[in-house]
Amino acid sequence: MPHMPASAALSRFRVIDLSQVRAGPTACRQLADWGADVVQVQMPEHMRGDDTLGGQDGSDYQYTHRNKRSITLNLKEEEGIATLKRLIATADVVVENFRPDVKYRLGIDYDSLAKDHPGLVYASISGFGQTGPLAQRPGFDQIAQGMGGLMSVTGLPGDGPARVGIPIADLCAGIFAAQGILIALLEREQSGKGQWLHTSLLESMVYMLDFQTARFLTDGEVATQAGNFHPTSIPTGVYQARDGYMNIAVFGSKIWERFCHILGAPQWIADARYHDKASRSVHRDTLNAEINQRLAAEDRAYWVEKFNAGGVACGLISDMREVFAEPQLQHLGMVKEVVSERLGPQRLVGQPVQLERTPSTIARAAPRRGQHTEEILQELGISAEHIVEMKEQGVF
């Protein structure tokens, strides 16, 4: 079945996905969800390593590789490389996350390909960058979380470092790569030229530290773990009502005053311990204890309604079941449905950005390894007879 664009937005672009595991496939999923013809190039079944996310029938793999087509090519065979180059010649974008040296050894690095394809946008994702003392070191999400500083500011004080509960380094690197690809495609409209762009798990993690890096680089302040409480805005964090936990965010003096009145403690506004942010920071433990004591009088639903009605941000801390039962999330339509030929109906989270005229959807479920090999080879003009020969020779 030919390309089925998930959106009209990027349907004119073809992307060759040479990546595996998560960061690269995430970048390509972003493009596929907006309509790009993403062709996932994988090793043949008999040669594959452990390059799938929980197996091809697993939920993780199905989520990450929806809206793509799949071709298998043996890149250890000369004709496999030649066929890949032929495929790349029809494309706008290549995405890879090999070790930095592998693409040069295979002759599919940017400079080699750009000689015959000057408009190519080539995206590389690595653990630590394309050059430098750690360039050849293998990258892994949790390693980047640690080296990038995130784990030093995550978790409860005194409990030691804590990882974030999602592969945030992989995901951010993939999303930043997709953003870089779109920027390069926009620039190409003016210059007519492609370019090489690259990011890494390490760079993505450091960038995501955001105000924590500013605190250090500007003020020399080394952030530490603040647990469930905001390090600079007090009181903002996790609080306990009668029936469980919730988040409350109090930013600025006016919101602080509203918060005090709603909680029935207007005297805190003039209290020397709490009257400004600096004082509340010094006495945060005492303040938090007093807040929890007052919150214990009512259930979470009462306080969520009361605070939000008064202009103080407040929300439940939801598990997955509660997340998808939330009426607002259902209204936003983030859950999309698609039917897999192999696995049947599926429900998957769609894109978090809504384009009114060219929306994103899930047009096809994740492909089986090599499902579209012969179809794509035919699109390249390769005859049916030669396709049979290629298969017999182990090219795919």
Side-chain angles (χ1 to χ4, degrees), residues 365-387:
R368 299 188 308 279
R369 179 185 298 270
Q371 179 178 341
H372 306 98
T373 299
E374 296 186 21
E375 169 187 307
I376 294 168
L377 293 178
Q378 289 171 1
E379 291 176 6
L380 296 179
I382 299 175
S383 68
E385 294 79 8
H386 190 53
I387 290 174

Side-chain angles (χ1 to χ4, degrees), residues 84-296:
L84 174 60
K85 290 181 177 179
R86 189 168 175 175
L87 178 61
I88 289 172
T90 71
D92 301 277
V93 178
V94 168
V95 179
E96 63 86 15
N97 63 352
F98 299 122
R99 290 193 318 272
D101 62 309
V102 171
K103 54 185 168 287
Y104 297 100
R105 178 163 47 81
L106 294 176
I108 53 172
D109 57 283
Y110 171 72
D111 288 337
S112 297
L113 296 173
K115 292 175 183 176
D116 298 317
H117 193 346
L120 181 66
V121 172
Y122 190 105
S124 296
I125 306 173
S126 62
F128 302 99
Q130 295 297 307
T131 58
L134 302 184
Q136 299 301 324
R137 182 182 287 189
F140 186 77
D141 177 87
Q142 188 160 335
I143 305 301
Q145 287 194 36
M147 293 180 65
L150 181 62
M151 292 176 66
S152 73
V153 297
T154 304
L156 296 172
D159 279 2
R163 65 180 290 276
V164 174
I166 57 171
I168 191 168
D170 281 334
L171 296 176
C172 290
I175 291 170
F176 290 147
Q179 180 186 42
I181 289 166
L182 296 176
I183 293 169
L185 289 172
L186 283 171
E187 192 279 336
R188 190 178 72 171
E189 293 180 358
Q190 291 181 310
S191 68
K193 299 177 182 179
Q195 58 183 301
W196 183 26
L197 65 100
H198 41 87
T199 187
S200 67
L201 307 190
L202 180 62
E203 289 167 285
S204 297
M205 275 296 80
V206 172
Y207 185 83
M208 288 300 293
L209 286 179
D210 197 66
F211 74 94
Q212 299 285 32
T213 63
R215 290 172 69 190
F216 174 71
L217 294 175
T218 304
D219 305 324
E221 186 176 350
V222 178
T224 57
Q225 292 165 301
N228 288 320
F229 294 97
H230 195 280
T232 61
S233 180
I234 298 106
T236 294
V238 175
Y239 295 91
Q240 189 168 8
R242 184 165 58 193
D243 65 339
Y245 294 97
M246 60 185 179
N247 279 314
I248 304 174
V250 178
F251 284 85
S253 59
K254 291 186 186 259
I255 304 299
W256 163 247
E257 291 177 8
R258 292 180 196 168
F259 172 78
C260 292
H261 283 291
I262 293 169
L263 204 54
Q267 68 274 16
W268 289 352
I269 297 171
D271 192 317
R273 298 171 301 168
Y274 307 145
H275 76 281
D276 59 25
K277 186 168 74 170
S279 300
R280 292 195 293 275
S281 179
V282 172
H283 300 284
R284 74 161 66 213
D285 291 341
T286 302
L287 175 59
N288 286 336
E290 291 199 53
I291 291 172
N292 279 328
Q293 185 177 15
R294 290 177 176 271
L295 292 173

Side-chain angles (χ1 to χ4, degrees), residues 328-348:
Q328 180 63 26
L329 189 76
Q330 294 176 358
H331 169 78
L332 293 172
M334 281 199 73
V335 176
K336 308 296 184 185
E337 296 183 357
V338 69
V339 177
S340 166
E341 294 178 9
R342 181 180 177 87
L343 302 173
Q346 297 179 334
R347 296 171 70 238
L348 302 170

